[in-house]
Amino acid sequence: MTAQEERLDRTLRPTRARDDRFHDECGVFGVYHHPEAAHLTYLGLHGLQHRGQESAGIVSSSGDRLHEEKGMGHVARIFRKTMLRRLKGDLAIGHVRYSTAGASSVENAQPFLIDSCKGEIAVAHNGNLVNAQAIRMALERDGSIFRTGSDTEVILHLIARSKKDDLEAAIVEALKQVEGAYSLIFIARDRIIGVRDPRGFRPLSLGRLGDAHILSSESCAFDLIDAALVRDIEPGEMVVIGEAGVKSYRPFPPQPVSQCIFEYVYFSRPDSQVFGRSVHEVRKRLGRNLAKEQPVEADIVVPVPDSGMYAALGYARESKIPFALGLVRNHYVGRTFIEPKQAIRHFGVKVKLNPVKEVVAGKRVVLVDDSIVRGTTSKKIVRMLREAGAREVHVRVSSPPTVASCYYGIDTPTRRELIAATQTQDEIRDFIGADSLGYLSPEGMLEAFGRPQQATCTACFTGIYPVEVEEEEREKEHALDAS
Ligand code: SF4
């Protein structure tokens, strides 16, 4: 590996989840033509906070120039009134980030703002480019200097180098060179531009608030600002929102659609409409199908809060077993906490979840969760329930076994760390200490989504990737697996 390759390996490779969850990737939001554009964007980012908690940023336009404010941490901690006042103008875009590529630092916080021969532009990206490393190496050899470790910066370099005079044409030319997942919002001095990759991996929706047009990763952010959902930006569509209203273009050759099914399983908020469907309805159907496929004699159905909540409701309704809140989540803990010197058993899980003894004691419990990643959290929850007096614990999972990593903008552990990639279902059941374990089948999951396999990305359940992942990326993953 050359020195350049080694450095890129450190900065550009998708991060791999450090805890026992797949992680939301990023959220993007944009406002065109509202006197409080930055303030609305700030509120919109609150609505998208679940999609990224490491950093956030807003870029606004006052017509003569762009203004930028960003920082590390949650939206509420970063932005002060003075910062929002500095974000002048009636156009703004914003971003919340959970690092999928590049280190966790403020340099990698988006939106990225550049001043190029096309004028000032900024971009907010949700997704991950699978050929960013090769493009970046070629650009660096050609003299380009990168400021961040993010794959998104590659897009800006390609735009800046484009010979096209027109910004929209330069964006299209740049995006025709990249592969992978992108839902993007650009801001220039007088317009915002939304683009979804031709496969449509990540969601992006258009909304309306009076005369203002809004773009958002999820519709739950529209509700927060009293905006109405108009429609999804279609896979492969580019919308230019300016003085002439919303202009729609289809600049890319059509490709089979591969919308991320994990948006329904876990990432998106249940009060959102994603890919034209209610997340809460799909999640409940996942639970119903799970109950049909994996029935069990039990006294109560207990969700792992919050992610297993709606699937558990569906399971309870279908199985006619009473739904019970047997676990309580502490919503106020941060991502890190200082453990006491005297070890407390299962501390990491206990600080977030605690069983309600009066609910579970003496009961045969069906424990419903959205997925099992490493299995370590499930193991601790099962043990906690038993210690709280549960007579039996039957684990039911509202998705199939996760056997492969994601390269399309989701922070996942390496393949080797995914318990279902290396162990049989019986071995997993024994590892987590459950009386029984049942997963939803791929067919049951797709039925709940209501779309055929061909229109859906299910790669983390099948290992079949709809967009070829650069050989170098896979090799690195194998190297990690072997290390
Ligand atoms: Fe979504 Fe999994 Fe496909 Fe990634 S691999 S886009 S998480 S379905």
Side-chain angles (χ1 to χ4, degrees):
M1 212 188 241
T2 65
Q4 184 196 19
E5 284 169 339
E6 261 182 44
R7 186 173 50 73
L8 283 179
D9 182 30
R10 281 197 303 278
T11 56
L12 209 55
R13 190 173 60 77
T15 54
R16 288 292 171 228
R18 295 169 286 278
D19 60 16
D20 197 17
R21 277 263 166 234
F22 276 26
H23 273 284
D24 310 317
E25 58 301 357
C26 296
V28 295
F29 195 84
V31 175
Y32 176 81
H33 193 47
H34 193 285
E36 290 193 279
H39 210 119
L40 292 185
T41 303
Y42 159 78
L43 293 173
L45 294 183
H46 271 282
L48 300 176
Q49 186 75 83
H50 60 290
R51 296 184 76 87
Q53 300 90 42
E54 288 199 349
S55 64
I58 299 175
V59 171
S60 70
S61 170
S62 51
D64 54 341
R65 56 164 293 210
L66 301 190
H67 310 267
E68 174 190 46
E69 297 287 345
K70 51 194 183 182
M72 300 300 292
H74 286 210
V75 176
R77 287 188 58 184
I78 296 169
F79 294 100
R80 297 277 167 267
K81 268 188 187 164
T82 48
M83 293 168 87
L84 292 179
R85 274 201 290 271
R86 287 199 292 266
L87 290 164
K88 295 188 176 74
D90 63 359
L91 284 69
I93 65 169
H95 188 266
V96 286
R97 176 173 189 263
Y98 184 95
S99 54
T100 51
S104 174
S105 67
V106 78
E107 291 77 45
N108 284 323
Q110 296 189 26
F112 289 144
L113 169 62
I114 58 161
D115 196 357
S116 74
C117 56
K118 316 271 178 321
E120 278 188 305
I121 43 169
V123 63
H125 175 201
N126 173 201
N128 190 59
L129 307 179
V130 295
N131 64 342
Q133 182 161 331
I135 296 176
R136 179 170 166 147
M137 283 175 68
L139 290 174
E140 286 191 333
R141 268 189 232 112
D142 216 20
S144 291
I145 295 167
F146 281 75
R147 285 192 314 181
T148 73
S150 164
D151 58 336
T152 312
E153 198 185 348
V154 166
I155 298 172
L156 287 175
H157 276 264
L158 292 172
I159 293 170
R161 292 165 67 98
S162 168
K163 300 278 182 288
K164 309 270 185 197
D165 293 330
D166 174 44
L167 175 60
E168 284 78 358
I171 289 173
V172 170
E173 189 180 71
L175 294 179
K176 281 184 174 168
Q177 298 171 65
V178 303
E179 285 166 20
Y182 53 84
S183 282
L184 299 160
I185 308 181
F186 295 89
I187 184 170
R189 289 182 188 179
D190 60 350
R191 59 203 187 280
I192 64 171
I193 299 166
V195 194
R196 229 175 127 201
D197 69 73
R199 294 255 179 189
F201 280 103
R202 301 274 147 243
L204 186 63
S205 298
L206 177 67
R208 188 87 200 228
L209 175 63
D211 291 338
H213 300 282
I214 319 285
L215 290 167
S216 176
S217 291
E218 285 184 44
S219 66
C220 63
F222 294 149
D223 300 340
L224 190 62
I225 59 167
D226 277 342
L229 169 66
V230 176
R231 65 176 178 87
D232 279 357
I233 306 303
E234 295 296 323
E237 183 182 8
M238 175 163 97
V239 289
V240 180
I241 308 177
E243 243 180 37
V246 180
K247 296 269 183 204
S248 168
Y249 303 90
R250 304 278 178 163
F252 309 108
Q255 289 185 34
V257 171
S258 319
Q259 298 175 126
C260 169
I261 203 157
F262 230 100
E263 290 283 351
Y264 289 112
V265 172
Y266 171 61
F267 303 135
S268 293
R269 255 175 52 167
D271 51 340
S272 283
Q273 297 275 334
V274 164
F275 308 141
R277 299 225 180 346
S278 150
V279 174
H280 136 266
E281 285 300 333
V282 173
R283 233 167 247 178
K284 270 203 315 203
R285 273 210 300 279
L286 291 168
R288 280 182 181 275
N289 290 351
L290 181 63
K292 285 181 199 158
E293 290 181 9
Q294 302 287 349
V296 62
E297 293 257 321
D299 303 311
I300 51 173
V301 176
V302 171
V304 174
D306 298 321
S307 53
M309 198 68 89
Y310 291 92
L313 272 170
Y315 192 104
R317 208 159 284 174
E318 182 66 31
S319 64
K320 313 252 179 329
I321 300 171
F323 175 86
L325 292 170
L327 286 164
V328 172
R329 175 171 288 275
N330 179 353
H331 288 99
Y332 304 100
V333 285
R335 292 186 63 190
T336 52
F337 21 75
I338 303 153
E339 269 199 69
K341 279 196 192 122
Q342 200 72 46
I344 295 174
R345 269 177 315 147
H346 326 312
F347 179 78
V349 171
K350 268 185 187 165
V351 81
K352 292 179 188 159
L353 288 175
N354 202 29
V356 184
K357 292 191 180 73
E358 296 72 18
V359 174
V360 302
K363 299 286 191 338
R364 295 171 300 170
V365 173
V366 185
L367 180 70
V368 178
D369 205 352
D370 60 274
S371 55
I372 295 180
V373 179
R374 289 182 172 91
T376 48
T377 302
S378 307
K379 183 185 179 86
K380 287 171 184 168
I381 296 173
V382 169
R383 200 178 297 170
M384 267 169 31
L385 287 171
R386 288 199 195 283
E387 286 172 2
R391 195 145 55 89
E392 293 172 15
V393 182
H394 302 274
V395 175
R396 294 294 179 269
V397 184
S398 62
S399 63
T402 42
V403 295
S405 301
C406 177
Y407 296 89
Y408 310 128
I410 301 300
D411 190 25
T412 55
T414 64
R415 194 188 57 80
R416 184 187 54 155
E417 293 169 291
L418 297 169
I419 191 168
T422 56
Q423 300 200 30
T424 66
Q425 200 163 310
D426 286 349
E427 286 169 338
I428 299 170
R429 180 204 59 213
D430 291 346
F431 175 77
I432 65 176
D435 291 281
S436 72
L437 169 66
Y439 287 93
L440 183 62
S441 68
E443 296 75 28
M445 180 175 67
L446 287 166
E447 195 282 330
F449 184 26
R451 296 252 167 89
Q453 168 109 41
Q454 295 83 331
T456 313
C457 179
T458 55
C460 47
F461 304 111
T462 60
I464 300 166
Y465 291 96
V467 171
E468 194 55 42
V469 177
E470 271 181 2
E471 200 50 44
E472 293 159 52
E473 287 291 346
R474 303 288 283 275
E475 276 171 12
K476 273 176 228 144
E477 197 77 348
H478 290 312
L480 277 171
D481 282 358
S483 64

